[in-house]
Amino acid sequence: MITQQISQAKLEKSESQVSGRAGLAMVHSVAKHFKTDKIIDFHFPKPMSNAGYTASEKIISFALTLINGGNKIEDIEILRADKAFLNQCGLNRLSAADTIREFLLNTKNKKKLEKTLEDLAVKAMKKSSLEEFTFDIDWTFIPSEKNSAAWSYKKEKAMVYCLVLFMS
């Protein structure tokens, strides 16, 4: 019986880091495999300093947050605190909420984001064996806990609007 085996189990302290986000790390790995970062960075200027984040770091950080179930920009802090997840992804850092917010609020980035999503969609379609796709790019608002956030039409505080791509 299992209960008899459990009572005989030994527990030992380990220095191993464990994360419940192995599936999310796999999503990050697939994005790297398809060179998503290179496609994104092609459309945006390089950071002004060596310490700055690239556009792909900002976008991928936020995408991972949304895929992880986050529903506001500040939820990036959950992933930033998960050192085991960062190690699984081979990441030293993730963009901070304010960095992502500033990036999304910059009006110069809107057309670049649209072009980037179109290029990513075309690449995905070329790799697919499917012959038909539904393709939808749309703007959605992202709630924020910032005091300076404005009220959205959904009666929630929203700081930025974000471009998302749906493909099936």
Side-chain angles (χ1 to χ4, degrees), residues 9 138 154:
D138 202 1
K154 291 187 175 184

Side-chain angles (χ1 to χ4, degrees), residues 4-168:
Q4 292 171 343
Q5 293 171 348
I6 290 175
S7 64
Q8 297 170 2
K10 282 187 178 180
L11 297 177
E12 294 180 13
K13 186 176 179 179
S14 171
E15 297 298 319
S16 297
Q17 293 182 335
V18 179
S19 173
R21 296 183 173 87
L24 191 60
M26 181 61 135
V27 169
H28 181 264
S29 176
V30 169
K32 278 176 57 176
H33 174 76
F34 283 103
K35 298 183 181 358
T36 304
D37 56 339
K38 305 242 184 299
I39 294 170
I40 294 168
D41 290 335
F42 175 78
H43 294 285
F44 293 90
K46 291 187 182 250
M48 300 295 255
S49 72
N50 288 338
Y53 289 94
T54 62
S56 63
E57 287 176 301
K58 296 169 193 172
I59 292 169
I60 292 170
S61 293
F62 190 50
L64 291 171
T65 300
L66 295 176
I67 294 166
N68 190 51
N71 62 2
K72 56 187 179 297
I73 292 174
E74 292 81 6
D75 290 340
I76 186 73
E77 298 306 324
I78 295 167
L79 294 181
R80 291 183 69 184
D82 189 340
K83 300 301 180 203
F85 166 73
L86 295 175
N87 287 338
Q88 285 176 332
C89 292
L91 297 170
N92 295 323
R93 64 188 190 164
L94 285 177
S95 301
D98 284 339
T99 303
I100 295 167
R101 187 179 296 105
E102 287 172 20
F103 178 79
L104 292 173
L105 285 172
N106 184 336
T107 55
K108 294 177 185 176
N109 291 336
K110 290 185 178 182
K111 284 288 180 204
K112 293 174 187 172
L113 282 169
E114 286 179 16
K115 182 64 178 139
T116 299
L117 285 178
E118 287 172 8
D119 286 356
L120 288 168
V122 167
K123 182 172 184 172
M125 288 187 266
K126 285 180 178 178
K127 295 251 180 208
S128 175
S129 60
L130 298 175
E131 294 181 20
E132 225 174 275
F133 296 90
T134 300
F135 176 84
D136 181 30
I137 293 181
D138 202 1
W139 289 94
T140 186
F141 88 100
I142 305 298
S144 176
E145 294 176 351
K146 285 288 244 193
N147 290 334
S148 59
W151 290 97
S152 75
Y153 69 94
K154 291 187 175 184
K155 297 186 172 83
E156 292 185 66
K157 283 186 133 190
M159 192 69 184
V160 298
Y161 286 79
C162 176
L163 190 63
V164 292
L165 165 69
F166 298 95
M167 247 178 76
S168 60

